[in-house]
Amino acid sequence: MTDCFNFTEEQIERYARHIILPEIGGKGQSRLLSSHVLIVGMGGLGSPVALYLTAAGVGHIGIVDSDQVDRTNLQRQVIHFTEDLGSGKLDSARRKMAAMNPEILVTPYPLRLNASNALDVLKDYDVIVDGTDNFPTRYLLNDACVFLKKPLVHAGVIRYEGQISVFKPGIGPCYRCIFPEPPPAGVIPSCREAGILGVIPGILGLLQANEVLKLLLGIGQPLVGHLLLVDALHTEFRKVQIRRNSGCAICGERPTITRLEDVVMETCELEEGGICFGNSTFENGVPPTPHG
Amino acid sequence: MKLTINGEAREVDKVSTVGELLPALGLDARQVVVELNQAVIKRNDVDQTPIHENDCLEILRFVGGG
């Protein structure tokens, strides 16, 4: 990060509407260009986050996903097009990001995060975005961010609703302060099972991108200590205050989680009409999940 | 009994624990996290956690899709 910035003519034109904002200016835009953001999951949430951060001029964006583009993704994962069917999501995303803003460096990580690779992948980024579609990875990301003291911009979506918060280690609560342990496997449906209105991850993803930009620029009030609940059927936004939990297993007064471990969901007793991921022993501690 | 649930004043049939309240609201304890008067209740403690007149509850659902 530097106070003296040497924009090209093209950059001044491209970012003119940012630079004219008093809170951003040349200094803020220069800061964005030298920032590093990691987006985990290139699905419904990751798509708009990647597109808008690319357009905004976030200089280095890491993207993590191991899936291929599937036809059922196209209704909401707007970075992927029909012509990308069967391609890796990272290749597909990179092509759009490069076309939108060729000066952004994109680092692809075609893998599933687990306890042995997560710290290494996350360590060089300023802000981490949670666009994952399963609880084991959500908890793993939370835990890794607590250990690395990285801000995590969390969001989750289902049907017509979503939730978003910013977890800033040492400052506000983490995901485990609110949701101490994962739900038993199978009791929370995925988007594949329950459905999702295509615009929902768009709305929540843009709120995530907004939080990322605020964190990078140091402007406004980040969504730390609040969980914003979005109900799109009634167009209701409710901001719930959330607090650090002194009994939190990872960031509380007497943490019981002291090193990064894969998170396994308890198996549920399969009920009539219930959905179960099956065995709790998954490869890399991650259950088979639908695409985004 | 009078409770505040998710910011709204509610009148519900008398219950003695959080574990009794959730099914009365049509909720499954495994799908939510309950904050009682601003303290998060662990899932295993839900059945033993007493609930009193005028208590304030925030019931948060797990939302996992992305």
Side-chain angles (χ1 to χ4, degrees), chain A residues 106-159:
Chain A
V106 179
T107 304
Y109 300 90
L111 46 82
R112 290 202 83 121
L113 282 187
N114 59 43
S116 25
N117 63 23
L119 295 175
D120 202 46
V121 172
L122 268 59
K123 69 177 175 1
D124 296 325
Y125 291 90
D126 304 315
V127 177
I128 314 298
V129 179
D130 179 356
T132 61
D133 61 0
N134 65 87
F135 288 104
T137 313
R138 283 187 189 283
Y139 279 85
L140 180 80
L141 255 190
N142 178 73
D143 297 353
C145 286
V146 170
F147 287 130
L148 294 169
K149 298 186 169 56
K150 304 268 187 200
L152 174 64
V153 181
H154 156 86
V157 288
I158 194 83
R159 301 189 184 95

Side-chain angles (χ1 to χ4, degrees), chain A residues 33-274:
Chain A
L33 286 165
S34 59
S35 295
H36 310 266
V37 174
L38 184 73
I39 307 170
V40 183
M42 205 36 63
L45 291 168
S47 292
V49 176
L51 289 170
Y52 273 84
L53 294 186
T54 298
V58 171
H60 176 207
I61 302 176
I63 52 179
V64 185
D65 208 308
S66 60
D67 284 345
Q68 274 79 46
V69 180
D70 176 284
R71 204 178 301 274
T72 63
N73 301 153
L74 302 179
Q75 153 263 21
R76 66 195 182 287
Q77 300 184 17
V78 296
I79 206 166
H80 309 303
F81 299 168
T82 305
E83 66 193 30
D84 302 312
L85 287 174
S87 298
K89 284 191 175 176
L90 298 191
D91 286 339
S92 161
R94 254 173 115 180
R95 283 195 291 272
K96 315 317 176 342
M97 293 163 81
M100 180 178 268
N101 191 345
E103 68 178 8
I104 303 307
L105 171 67
V106 179
T107 304
Y109 300 90
L111 46 82
R112 290 202 83 121
L113 282 187
N114 59 43
S116 25
N117 63 23
L119 295 175
D120 202 46
V121 172
L122 268 59
K123 69 177 175 1
D124 296 325
Y125 291 90
D126 304 315
V127 177
I128 314 298
V129 179
D130 179 356
T132 61
D133 61 0
N134 65 87
F135 288 104
T137 313
R138 283 187 189 283
Y139 279 85
L140 180 80
L141 255 190
N142 178 73
D143 297 353
C145 286
V146 170
F147 287 130
L148 294 169
K149 298 186 169 56
K150 304 268 187 200
L152 174 64
V153 181
H154 156 86
V157 288
I158 194 83
R159 301 189 184 95
Y160 303 95
E161 64 180 277
Q163 55 178 236
I164 168 175
S165 187
V166 174
F167 302 125
K168 212 169 175 187
I171 308 288
C174 79
Y175 190 62
R176 281 188 191 271
C177 288
I178 316 307
F179 298 99
E181 52 197 344
V187 305
I188 306 295
S190 66
C191 292
R192 180 181 59 178
E193 293 149 350
I196 179 152
L197 188 70
V199 299
I200 299 297
I203 294 168
L204 273 296
L206 286 196
L207 288 170
Q208 283 183 295
N210 181 50
E211 292 304 319
V212 170
L213 294 176
K214 280 158 53 188
L215 286 168
L216 296 175
L217 292 164
I219 62 172
Q221 208 60 42
L223 197 56
V224 174
H226 292 93
L227 186 68
L228 177 68
L229 306 174
V230 178
D231 169 359
L233 267 191
H234 304 95
T235 319
E236 279 176 1
F237 291 70
R238 202 162 72 86
K239 209 167 155 185
V240 177
Q241 202 182 346
I242 53 177
R243 295 160 199 81
R244 289 189 74 176
N245 181 347
S246 58
C248 177
I250 189 157
C251 76
E253 285 161 9
R254 282 183 296 278
T256 52
I257 301 169
T258 52
R259 64 184 191 91
L260 195 61
E261 283 178 28
D262 286 317
V263 176
V264 176
M265 291 159 81
E266 283 172 46
T267 44
C268 63
E269 290 167 34
L270 195 58
E271 290 169 8
E272 193 71 26

